[in-house]
């Protein structure tokens, strides 16, 4: 059985859980983290789940981050690479239509999620959720909100042209973008009208694996 080390409040872990759910792979999850534990963030004085600093874990993932997966003898870290591995190995049809071009297109959106969207959303997570209230900075929230308006419009423009992020069908590319857009709405910040993104969000949030691993606001707003 596949094993995943991670924590339910980790955006990167959530993406992999969503992919596992979409594909229908059985797995065991081991709670692991250096920054969060059952009661919340170490920034607020709570104990972490741990494991990530052990020699055994570092041998699998030298970064000491989550998620990491072990599938038989094979271990892998980097959330979007894990999703691509799972898609290629177990579900090329449902995750990218078994087409190299669709795989590449989805993979491009996955890179973009990490390079363009995530850094500003990380600022929001820290300043709206994780940091103790006295360390939060409203100016950083506002500049991150404004910085995200351009990527949000890029998503909306794409979804004006295609029903899903890479074309006519749901692919692995919808997973990272879907998780980020869900967080965006949960933070309840001032948002321009983005009707195509909203239409797509209303569709993907009905998917059973989204409902199981992503939907719950507590997974994104507590820490
Ligand atoms: N690029 C890596 C980043 C991994 C990462 O930074 N994960 C965060 C959680 S989202 C982490 O490990 N935080 C520290 C911890 O929980 O110990 C990936 O996508 O897997």
């Amino acid at each position: 059985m596949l094993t995943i080390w991670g924590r339910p409040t980790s955006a990167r872990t959530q993406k992999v859980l969503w992919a596992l759910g979409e594909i229908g792979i059985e797995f065991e999850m081991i709670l692991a983290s250096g920054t969060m534990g059952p009661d919340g963030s170490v920034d607020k004085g709570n104990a972490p789940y741990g494991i990530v600093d052990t020699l055994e874990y570092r041998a699998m993932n030298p970064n000491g981050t989550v998620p990491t997966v072990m599938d038989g003898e094979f271990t892998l870290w980097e959330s979007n690479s894990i999703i691509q591995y799972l898609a290629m190995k177990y579900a090329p049809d449902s995750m990218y239509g078994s087409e190299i071009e669709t795989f590449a297109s989805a993979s491009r959106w996955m890179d973009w999620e990490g390079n363009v969207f995530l850094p500003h959303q990380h600022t929001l997570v820290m300043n709206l959720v994780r940091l103790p209230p006295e360390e939060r900075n409203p100016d950083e929230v506002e500049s991150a909100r404004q910085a995200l308006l351009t990527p949000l419009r890029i998503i909306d423009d794409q979804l004006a042209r295609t029903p899903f992020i890479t074309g006519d069908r749901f692919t692995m590319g919808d997973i990272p973008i879907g998780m980020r857009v869900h967080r965006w709405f949960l933070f309840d910040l001032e948002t321009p009208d983005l009707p195509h993104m909203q239409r797509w969000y209303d569709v993907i949030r009905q998917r059973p694996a989204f409902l199981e691993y992503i939907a719950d606001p507590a997974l994104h707003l507590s820490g």
Side-chain angles (χ1 to χ4, degrees), residues 7 10-12 15 32-36 52 64-67 78-80:
R7 59 176 162 82
S10 141
R12 279 83 160 217
K15 292 184 292 181
S33 172
T35 62
M36 294 277 286
V52 295
T65 52
V66 292
E78 273 302 327
S79 52
N80 286 338

Side-chain angles (χ1 to χ4, degrees), residues 5 51-62 64 68 70 75:
W5 286 260
I51 295 183
V52 295
D53 284 330
T54 60
L55 287 176
E56 293 81 0
Y57 191 84
R58 293 279 170 152
M60 291 192 299
N61 180 346
T68 301
M70 181 185 281
T75 57

